[in-house]
Amino acid sequence: MKLLFQTLCLCLALGLATPSHHEGHLQGDEPAGDAPKHDHSMHHAAVLDRCAGMEMDAVAITEQGVPYFFEGDHLFKGFHGKAELSNQSFSELDDHHHLGHVDAAFHMHIPDAPEHHDHMFFFLDTKVFSYYNHTLEPGYPKDIKEVFPGVPDHLDAAVECPEEDCKSNLVIFFKGDDIYHYDVKTQKMDEKEFASMPNCTSAFRWLGHYYCFHGHQFSKFDPMTGEVHGRYPKDAREYFMRCPKFGDASNHVEREQCSHVHLDAVTSDDAGSVYAFRAHHFLRMEGEKMHSDTIESAFKELHSEVDAVFSYEGHMHMIKDSEVYVYKVGEPHTHLEGYPKPLKEELGIDGPVDAAFVCQDHHIAHVIKDQTLYEVDLKATPRVPIKDGPLTLFKYVDAAMCGPDGVKIVVGNHFYHFESLMIMQAAKAIPEAKRVSTELFGCDH
Ligand SMILES: *[C@@H]1O[C@H](CO)[C@@H](O)[C@H](O)[C@H]1NC(C)=O
Ligand SMILES: *[C@@H]1O[C@H](CO)[C@@H](O)[C@H](O)[C@H]1NC(C)=O
Ligand SMILES: *[C@@H]1O[C@H](CO)[C@@H](O)[C@H](O)[C@H]1NC(C)=O
């Protein structure tokens, strides 16, 4: 309605301002849509091109891990592809025309409250919509103040912050330069000072990191303190949209992110970059930056198909059959003199092995071989493996990594997250399976 009204006004205005010139048009010998092509709202209805650099209204991840970017009455699913009308996916958003576009959206993560868990929440003016499986929950839309007491109307952005990142299950709401931590369970609101943060028009959590979008730029922020570390803002088109003229054009990246083929090995280095190896290729993730290439090009001596990789003191130890290759992390990765060496000599274990990892700030290599976990003290000479018990939770393991947030065991195209090695060793049951493609590598479909 609003759109039609604006278009009509513009046509009338043009008609009045230059009657003689536009007379023909007004007679109807050309389409009426011709005149207002510079009108912003018309542009929306026509072609939305995210590579032209647009500001998103809201972003949220679906329960399948697909990011949805909202702009006006349109929606982009994933990091590439065309805009579609948002009412095609969420038809009820349209039943309330006066509400306008989606101001803010987030994906609720609260496993112990199944009535809200995994729901998508959309905020429009004073109302909130709760969707599960793309279906509006009964009784919605509701007033924001009824569902989220204390949260203001006309929000700018919202993002969930689960317990693992924020100590309790929070939603962070943004309005102008006001920022609130909302505790989902206690419904307590905490106003925050995020001094270095720009005003966000949308925000989302992706692969465990928090991003605030402003204009066509974004900044990564700490959800607890709002601090922005590193070189931000960056252009969203180089990272969150696949735009031909921006960023790494290598199409290996998407194939490696989205593949369902099992991994050979995965590790995270001291700086937090993740390296994943699969047959002849590897994928490197440094925060939101993704890179992929052949193993041959970056780890020449290794060629391809590694069995296990762990990172230790700035080096990647790569185990292949019964040998160990050691590369210094950095560009380019340099292979250490004297390697490869026999695995038996390096770790005291006979190859082949299934997986290996070192947890942060420790000097113990944990090696998985045939449902047995071994420990090797890397500071000891000679290095002697100690049997650290069976690992019967899994029939086999493809790859494993350990980071500040615990241990991830990769089996096929799923991974299993344990908050610590001790928790893994004590576990009687396998935790929830998560998808490697979407939840570890940020594949968008
Ligand atoms: C969706 O929105 C478009 C434009 O806003 C409108 O023309 C169309 O009728 C709507 N479709 C439905 C199913 O509501
Ligand atoms: C999701 O909705 C579709 C139909 O839209 C239905 O077939 C499917 O069973 C639903 N899934 C769940 C988990 O409710
Ligand atoms: C941020 O929002 C506040 C209102 O809350 C406004 O006064 C300020 O100008 C905004 N800053 C920018 C850079 O838009």
Side-chain angles (χ1 to χ4, degrees):
M1 241 353 241
K2 197 166 114 195
L3 194 73
L4 186 64
F5 183 67
Q6 281 174 356
T7 308
L8 206 62
C9 287
L10 195 66
C11 291
L12 286 174
L14 284 169
L16 285 173
T18 54
S20 55
H21 184 75
H22 275 268
E23 224 156 38
H25 291 194
L26 293 171
Q27 296 306 316
D29 61 359
E30 275 190 34
D34 186 37
K37 69 168 65 128
H38 298 295
D39 177 22
H40 189 57
S41 59
M42 254 328 257
H43 176 72
H44 279 184
V47 222
L48 275 182
D49 177 8
R50 54 178 149 186
C51 290
M54 59 170 53
E55 180 172 281
M56 295 293 169
D57 291 329
V59 192
I61 309 291
T62 66
E63 55 266 42
Q64 286 81 30
V66 181
Y68 278 14
F69 297 86
F70 292 87
E71 167 61 20
D73 56 2
H74 279 74
L75 165 62
F76 294 92
K77 294 179 176 174
F79 300 128
H80 57 113
K82 290 198 163 57
E84 13 185 294
L85 285 165
S86 36
N87 63 5
Q88 284 173 0
S89 300
F90 305 101
S91 64
E92 298 85 356
L93 292 182
D94 233 35
D95 298 344
H96 307 268
H97 275 289
H98 59 286
L99 293 178
H101 60 77
V102 179
D103 295 325
F106 75 93
H107 174 226
M108 179 73 93
H109 184 92
I110 179 161
D112 51 0
E115 73 277 21
H116 291 318
H117 182 52
D118 253 354
H119 285 48
M120 291 178 87
F121 284 84
F122 299 140
F123 297 83
L124 287 81
D125 286 5
T126 59
K127 297 285 186 191
V128 56
F129 293 67
S130 170
Y131 279 93
Y132 183 67
N133 193 21
H134 286 51
T135 308
L136 188 66
E137 287 288 288
Y140 282 86
K142 294 183 179 178
D143 286 337
I144 294 175
K145 59 177 179 288
E146 187 188 329
V147 188
F148 299 97
V151 173
D153 295 337
H154 305 284
L155 288 163
D156 286 333
V159 60
E160 72 281 10
C161 186
E163 220 166 2
E164 63 199 81
D165 301 336
C166 275
K167 303 212 167 63
S168 54
N169 287 306
L170 302 181
V171 182
I172 308 172
F173 289 105
F174 301 82
K175 177 171 177 160
D177 53 7
D178 294 331
I179 294 169
Y180 307 90
H181 274 179
Y182 178 87
D183 189 310
V184 177
K185 197 169 269 172
T186 64
Q187 302 198 324
K188 207 172 133 278
M189 279 274 280
D190 209 358
E191 185 156 1
K192 291 285 176 186
E193 278 286 333
F194 279 7
S196 59
M197 284 273 286
N199 295 354
C200 307
T201 59
S202 57
F204 86 141
R205 177 181 190 267
W206 190 65
L207 301 181
H209 296 293
Y210 292 80
Y211 298 96
C212 153
F213 291 83
H214 40 96
H216 56 82
Q217 296 185 307
F218 71 95
S219 298
K220 181 162 88 178
F221 66 98
D222 180 319
M224 292 296 279
T225 63
E227 283 163 325
V228 175
H229 301 287
R231 292 188 18 228
Y232 293 95
K234 294 179 179 172
D235 193 314
R237 291 170 293 185
E238 289 182 41
Y239 300 91
F240 293 113
M241 294 158 201
R242 304 259 148 72
C243 297
K245 288 199 191 76
F246 295 88
D248 188 346
S250 141
N251 51 14
H252 294 320
V253 171
E254 194 187 347
R255 191 196 59 219
E256 291 303 319
Q257 276 181 299
C258 298
S259 170
H260 288 182
V261 176
H262 73 88
L263 290 177
D264 294 330
V266 64
T267 189
S268 82
D269 69 16
D270 298 338
S273 298
V274 172
Y275 288 76
F277 299 85
R278 180 188 279 127
H280 295 271
H281 288 84
F282 73 95
L283 176 69
R284 185 182 71 225
M285 299 185 292
E286 293 173 75
E288 64 279 359
K289 184 95 195 154
M290 302 274 175
H291 175 77
S292 178
D293 211 330
T294 59
I295 294 178
E296 182 78 39
S297 67
F299 306 96
K300 192 159 65 69
E301 295 76 6
L302 190 72
H303 301 301
S304 65
E305 292 175 323
V306 62
D307 293 330
V309 178
F310 65 87
S311 306
Y312 177 61
E313 294 191 329
H315 293 81
M316 271 199 263
H317 297 247
M318 313 181 65
I319 305 171
K320 180 175 165 131
D321 301 324
S322 50
E323 299 201 293
V324 183
Y325 297 73
V326 180
Y327 286 87
K328 191 169 172 14
V329 175
E331 290 298 337
H333 304 286
T334 43
H335 193 220
L336 290 201
E337 225 24 75
Y339 285 89
K341 288 185 182 173
L343 177 62
K344 185 79 183 169
E345 196 178 296
E346 278 286 284
L347 299 181
I349 295 178
D350 286 311
V353 302
D354 298 325
F357 56 90
V358 170
C359 294
Q360 278 213 323
D361 309 329
H362 286 92
H363 50 87
I364 307 287
H366 304 273
V367 180
I368 302 172
K369 176 185 157 106
D370 301 332
Q371 285 197 308
T372 305
L373 188 62
Y374 297 89
E375 245 184 30
V376 184
D377 185 342
L378 296 171
K379 290 247 194 280
T381 31
R383 291 175 180 162
V384 184
I386 299 168
K387 248 193 205 176
D388 202 17
L391 189 66
T392 49
L393 285 179
F394 303 98
K395 280 213 179 63
Y396 69 93
V397 168
D398 284 320
M401 65 191 279
C402 188
D405 63 343
V407 181
K408 294 189 181 93
I409 299 284
V410 185
V411 182
N413 56 18
H414 287 96
F415 73 94
Y416 304 86
H417 179 208
F418 299 91
E419 272 151 53
S420 72
L421 183 63
M422 260 173 56
I423 289 175
M424 182 177 90
Q425 287 170 303
K428 296 272 187 291
I430 299 182
E432 180 195 357
K434 298 188 174 177
R435 288 213 295 198
V436 169
S437 57
T438 51
E439 291 175 81
L440 198 55
F441 299 152
C443 170
D444 63 352
H445 55 263

